[in-house]
Amino acid sequence: MAEQLKGACIIGQSGGPTSVINASAYGVIKTALENPNITKVYGAAHGIRGVLDDVLYDMGQEDPAELELLLHTPSSALGSCRYKLKDSEVDDTDYKRILEIFKKYDVRYFFYNGGNDSMDTCNKISKYMQKAGYECRIMGVPKTIDNDLWGTDHCPGFASAAKFIATSCMEIYHDARVYDTGMICIIECMGRHAGWLTAAASIATHFGQGPDLVYLPERDFDMDKFLADVKRVYDANKKCIIAVSEGIHDKDGKFIVEYGAADAAVDSFGHKQLGGLAATLANIIKGKFDAKVRAIELSLMQRCAAHCASETDVQESFRSGKAAVECAVSGITDKMVGFARSKDENGNYVCEIKLMDLSDVANTEKKVPDEMINADGNGITDAFIDYALPLIQGVPQMKYENGMPRFAHLKKVVAK
Amino acid sequence: MAEQLKGACIIGQSGGPTSVINASAYGVIKTALENPNITKVYGAAHGIRGVLDDVLYDMGQEDPAELELLLHTPSSALGSCRYKLKDSEVDDTDYKRILEIFKKYDVRYFFYNGGNDSMDTCNKISKYMQKAGYECRIMGVPKTIDNDLWGTDHCPGFASAAKFIATSCMEIYHDARVYDTGMICIIECMGRHAGWLTAAASIATHFGQGPDLVYLPERDFDMDKFLADVKRVYDANKKCIIAVSEGIHDKDGKFIVEYGAADAAVDSFGHKQLGGLAATLANIIKGKFDAKVRAIELSLMQRCAAHCASETDVQESFRSGKAAVECAVSGITDKMVGFARSKDENGNYVCEIKLMDLSDVANTEKKVPDEMINADGNGITDAFIDYALPLIQGVPQMKYENGMPRFAHLKKVVAK
């Protein structure tokens, strides 16, 4: 048993939001508020920026009933950021400031809720605090719709996005074949380097009501082969539904979206801001087929459609936040909470908590493995379906008021 | 009491589908199958085209449990069309063929499930059959997400689309303000001439979590005023969410989408095929503000997201189909089923069936009235909220299987 450590905790959220990142945060906040070793629970406004700017919310002043609504409230309730910490060997200004704030509020627990880049931030802070000899237990709480965090079976947030994508694709399937005229429909899903989300479109196909063709960034995209694929499907029944990942690229690494669009902008992490791929492909297809061609971008909805979340994802996200606090209080630090998959005696899916070193997780990407992609590179295999189906179970147990979702309203009282 | 009329019935679906048009069809099919005066229930494949092509499904051969799933199955399960009948005075070829098919199958009841154009079709057939002296009771069963049918308080299909739009806008609101950086988000809703759907985005605003600015096609759109509106909102809090109707146009009638796009294509009814408006406006805004600008098109999802339907809409749609059959059997013909709104003794919303002459409904459009649009023309008034809220109540009581919606699978046995 590690020595008891008393002090305040900070929870921060970072990176692109998901439908369930607040469920993870609620897992941290509720568990921390109930733990006698944690003297105060602060929420950092806009992730690490809130620490640097000394804008911390006193979560103890929130109404518990509102906090509970975080389970089904999309986006990052505390605010997010895409701020990248410099290497502390190069410039330790930010780190000194973070240490100053930690000391000011007697912060002994730090929970950071995000994806790869956030785990990098979390890892850097952890290593700096160790070097500085400041005792603080630091835990990463994962989230990413992209499902690309290394070492965990799956990531909180993925399943809800997957469920929205699969459900929307199934609904679009019905809509897109309503007329007796030709129709080609291209559905664009998020995913720069990993095709997990686009693969989720195939869940609808598994039920006989989904895309005919699915292209992931794990395979080089060949325009001629694509057009031949579309022709083969379209010639057979005058309908073709295609799901594409925003990050598909040709064998030279050129993004397909760039075939038709101006060079994409670049965000503060150096990632290209992609988008408009479906429209680009639609323009290429138009004229080649006697069909109406429709481009659909699932856009922000795939990461914020809490009304279509997976309740399994909601509950697992909560558990990941809860586990982070319990582990930290028990003496663990410098880890990210992850999931391991196992089965119960009846062969049913069971999700267990596992821990990974932050330094292993930071900036490592997990792509869709070969065995989940078909030989033609235009669809997925049953291995993916077997993997994904247990994750999307359960209708979200949301609160509705007057026909609309009732999301959490936080007071956000700034700590003095 | 009108004379009893025995014979078969045909139900056809036409025009753009909705999340609940199948609930209306199910109301017709179930009620007709149970009625002793109706000898056979046929579903026309792709609306009036199925009649012309002699492709009728024998609905009596369907599994009743599958038929019941139609309540929550999006799109037009029988298939739809956008076929416009010529004036019978000019060319009666189609009418003669329809009469031939009616006689072949002893069709004495015809139910047509669609929007303005479909009511025009329904009206033309009704008038032709009267002139031809062929006894057949003909009823229109309304549907349109556009809510633009004349004479009815609201249209089946509108509320579910409105609920999806309002819910998505509320979720996007949370997502779009997650970062501490500037963000302008433009959300495009369907609606060529009537702004009902775009107005629905304001339901989210009513709950404090929706678009700041809403532009309907009922008002001429002025680009300079728009940019000034955006600047005012954006300067105040570095966020601005805008909902626009695809059909907004300037004072000269030029569609705003044409400001940035090539001339839009025209469909078989002579309607311009609009789309890409959000992207057009985003391109105009970009560079004028220090903000990330995101264009979101709700696209097909707004008319097929059955998972986010209004259960009130589902049940009312079913009732409209049921009422059409009951009225026809009782001797009524040449009418469209509509809704009248009243209140019970406690002041609660009550929806009652009313009937309208088909000739009054056909091709008449009902726009959003002045009192529902604010003076600035960039938002809606409480009159709209009062109108819309009762319609979007209720979470759809869908069946799920393995985490996904379980939609109806029809056998579609073609009648001999």
Side-chain angles (χ1 to χ4, degrees), chain A residues 307 395-396 398-401 403-405, chain B residues 72 163 306-315 392-398 400:
Chain A
H307 75 273
V395 173
M398 287 181 74
K399 187 173 173 185
Y400 284 84
E401 243 177 47
M404 293 287 287
Chain B
H72 296 99
K163 184 166 185 156
H307 75 272
C308 189
S310 150
E311 186 66 17
T312 299
D313 193 19
V314 170
Q315 296 302 330
I392 64 161
Q393 301 299 310
V395 173
Q397 299 303 301
M398 286 181 73
Y400 284 85

Side-chain angles (χ1 to χ4, degrees), chain A residues 215-234:
Chain A
Y215 299 94
L216 314 187
E218 280 80 359
R219 292 282 182 275
D220 292 338
F221 185 88
D222 182 281
M223 191 62 79
D224 291 335
K225 183 179 172 307
F226 166 71
L227 291 171
D229 285 348
V230 174
K231 181 169 166 33
R232 179 177 47 77
V233 172
Y234 183 75

